[in-house]
């Protein structure tokens, strides 16, 4: 039995900061709430997952971009 209150998504992101994570869900209190994906290395986000698999999407020195 786990005593952690963190979600699997959050624990994966904290252990492996150079990954693409998602989908993340905006809280229902946000107008036009949607889901989005995030590059944990450069902190860029997009509502389209395929954007994060393009090298040009990431910051100039992003480690994830090198794997695209």
């Amino acid at each position: 039995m786990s005593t952690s209150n963190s979600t699997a998504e959050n624990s994966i992101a904290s252990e492996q900061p150079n990954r693409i994570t998602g989908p993340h869900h905006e809280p229902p209190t946000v107008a036009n709430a949607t889901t989005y994906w995030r590059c944990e290395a450069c902190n860029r986000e997009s509502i389209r997952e395929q954007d994060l698999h393009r090298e040009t999407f990431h910051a100039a020195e992003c480690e994830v971009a090198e794997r695209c």
Side-chain angles (χ1 to χ4, degrees):
M1 173 186 270
S2 174
T3 58
S4 174
N5 289 330
S6 65
T7 64
E9 177 182 279
N10 289 340
S11 62
I12 290 170
S14 65
E15 292 171 12
Q16 300 174 355
N18 296 328
R19 298 194 56 111
I20 294 171
T21 61
H24 300 278
H25 303 281
E26 292 180 320
T29 55
V30 173
N32 299 319
T34 188
T35 58
Y36 61 95
W37 284 260
R38 175 185 305 127
C39 173
E40 296 294 338
C42 65
N43 291 317
R44 292 194 177 176
E45 300 172 343
S46 178
I47 60 172
R48 294 181 306 270
E49 181 181 11
Q50 63 269 23
D51 287 348
L52 281 85
H53 297 284
R54 290 184 293 113
E55 184 176 356
T56 56
F57 175 83
H58 298 272
E61 297 185 18
C62 178
E63 295 176 18
V64 173
E66 297 170 4
R67 297 190 304 254
C68 290

